[in-house]
Amino acid sequence: MNAVVLKAGKDKAVRNRHHWIFSGAIRDLPEFDDGDILPVRSAGGDLLGHAYFNRKSSIAGRMVSFGAGAPQDEVRRSIERALALRARLFDPAVTNARRLVNAEGDGLPGLVVDLYDDVLVLQVATLGMEKLKPLVLDVLTGAFRPRAVFERSDLPARREEGLEEATGLLSGDRVDRVRIVEEGIPFWVDVSGGQKTGFYLDQRESRRLVRRFASGRRVLNTFSYSGAFSVCALRGGAVRADSVDGSAAAIGLAQENFELNGLASDSGVFFTADVFEFLRAPALDHDFIILDPPAFAKRKTDVVAACRGYKDINRLAFQRVRAPGLVLTFSCSHFVDEHLFQQVVFQAAQEAGRRARIVQKHRQAFDHPVNIYHPETAYLKGFLLYID
Ligand code: SAH
């Protein structure tokens, strides 16, 4: 088969097992259909592995295998390795929802798979992975025998790949909602209409932290989505947990999650509101504020504006929180790294005139592994701050 040949001196990233090939690194491109897998060779003729290619994408190729192995076999093995990483780390009686495949984090560019009880939710971001979908489904359904497989490929980024957004049932019974348990706490997950694949599994370990630190506190959970942090705070003994989100549907789900957990109606107030405006209200009495905004920087060029946004909400939270209090603050923008985020938090504390000490640092939960060869897979960082 005709191979893609990289320019001399442009093979280092691939040799270092980074998954992305940019068009500037390519010397020869043979005839191919977008989404096809092709061998990748160095200028000297070494076979480096296989990648799928798409002329429409800003990332020309994405490696699916390194070395001489047949790419389909290697993809199958990567999925099996991803499942093995999670296999013994969860007790399904206590936690039955997890990320099974974390894209490049598991060596599988363009693919995210989440398990919610006995329902699999698949998210395919690229044409190359779309063509591998039958293989992916074969491995997954063989391993799990799921009640249903649902696709949530409603990603605007698919347009760049020449793909339509796609949502719907791929196999099994019709599903809308799934009841999961996470560390013994039940939640409703709206797999068909919720955000992303339905639940922010990457915050599992931070939810445990909130449960641990919330006792006796009045908690304000901003960017609450389906109220998971609020529920955990109350289960951890919070006096009250109020939830704020801009989406009425998210707040509706949060209320249902309170009911599911038998939490009294006076255990928290729900606000459908813009967090930037909400935090300007002077009459807050919370001594634990959680800030978990969406990614403000989706591109590198957004970083300056994103930092302004992060600084604003953090400054407001530091001004509003009753001291001594806690602020748990996150950024899930890959382009804002931990060092930069800490600088932003520093500026926010300084402008608020508050003493702030980091008592813990956080990252995405362990079923969202960071591929050491592909550091772009690190995106979520958080600080628990003690404010006095
Ligand atoms: N903390 C949540 C996940 C938050 S995702 C969890 O653990 O499940 C980010 C949320 O912010 C989304 O629910 C989105 O609807 C909401 N959002 C985005 N911009 C907002 C804004 N300006 N004001 C209020 N909510 C916003």
Side-chain angles (χ1 to χ4, degrees), residues 195 200 203 207 221-226 228-229 244-247 250 273-276 292-294:
Q195 295 180 21
Y200 289 87
Q203 289 288 29
R207 282 192 279 274
N221 178 16
T222 69
F223 307 97
S224 67
Y225 182 48
S226 58
F229 277 126
V244 191
D245 200 283
S247 153
D274 180 83
V275 170
F276 288 84
D292 184 22

Side-chain angles (χ1 to χ4, degrees), residues 9-247:
K10 292 281 187 183
D11 54 355
K12 189 158 175 266
V14 172
R15 283 193 194 273
N16 284 340
R17 303 180 79 90
H18 194 275
H19 283 274
W20 296 346
I21 299 172
F22 292 96
S23 54
I26 297 173
R27 192 189 78 189
D28 306 333
L29 201 58
E31 282 288 304
F32 71 101
D33 290 333
D34 281 337
D36 280 357
I37 295 176
L38 298 169
V40 177
R41 290 189 181 277
S42 69
D46 296 345
L47 178 60
L48 304 175
H50 287 79
Y52 59 70
F53 287 84
N54 188 343
R55 292 177 194 81
K56 296 189 189 76
S57 171
S58 59
I59 300 171
R62 295 175 209 240
M63 300 295 289
V64 292
S65 63
F66 296 95
Q72 307 268 340
D73 295 344
E74 294 296 324
V75 168
R76 183 177 286 273
R77 270 197 280 277
S78 291
I79 300 170
E80 288 164 357
R81 273 197 296 268
L83 302 186
L85 184 149
R86 284 92 173 156
R88 274 180 288 166
L89 297 169
F90 289 91
D91 173 359
V94 181
T95 300
N96 67 5
R98 57 188 186 264
R99 176 147 299 186
L100 296 173
V101 175
N102 190 38
E104 282 87 350
D106 287 300
L108 292 158
L111 180 66
V112 162
V113 184
D114 289 339
L115 177 70
Y116 295 114
D117 188 13
D118 51 1
V119 173
L120 286 170
V121 183
L122 210 75
Q123 194 169 63
V124 175
T126 59
L127 179 58
M129 191 47 74
E130 189 67 36
K131 290 191 175 179
L132 287 165
K133 207 159 83 179
L135 168 67
V136 170
L137 288 170
D138 183 53
V139 183
L140 290 171
T141 51
F144 288 95
R145 314 215 161 278
R147 172 162 63 96
V149 183
F150 201 87
E151 176 159 15
R152 282 300 301 272
S153 303
D154 42 339
L155 300 165
R158 276 174 59 114
R159 225 162 293 147
E160 200 198 324
E161 291 277 324
L163 290 166
E164 299 286 314
E165 294 186 18
T167 312
L169 192 65
L170 296 178
S171 64
D173 302 342
R174 207 196 115 125
V175 276
D176 290 315
R177 292 256 180 122
V178 183
R179 184 184 175 281
I180 59 158
V181 277
E182 183 186 83
E183 309 207 323
I185 301 181
F187 294 102
W188 288 117
V189 176
D190 180 357
V191 295
S192 64
Q195 295 180 21
K196 308 266 172 141
T197 67
F199 200 68
Y200 289 87
L201 292 166
D202 54 356
Q203 289 288 29
R204 182 187 313 107
E205 290 160 14
S206 305
R207 282 192 279 274
R208 181 191 303 160
L209 181 87
V210 165
R211 193 173 176 183
R212 175 160 161 233
F213 280 87
S215 178
R217 292 193 180 269
R218 292 176 302 275
V219 177
L220 177 64
N221 178 16
T222 69
F223 307 97
S224 67
Y225 182 48
S226 58
F229 277 126
S230 308
V231 169
C232 287
L234 291 163
R235 294 287 297 254
V239 176
R240 212 175 75 228
D242 300 330
S243 310
V244 191
D245 200 283
S247 153

Side-chain angles (χ1 to χ4, degrees), residues 1-2 6 25 44 46 65 85 146 198-199 257 269 348 364 368 382 384:
M1 200 196 305
N2 278 337
L6 303 181
D46 296 345
S65 63
L85 184 149
F199 200 68
N257 278 324
V269 185
Q364 63 231 42
H368 297 59
L384 179 66

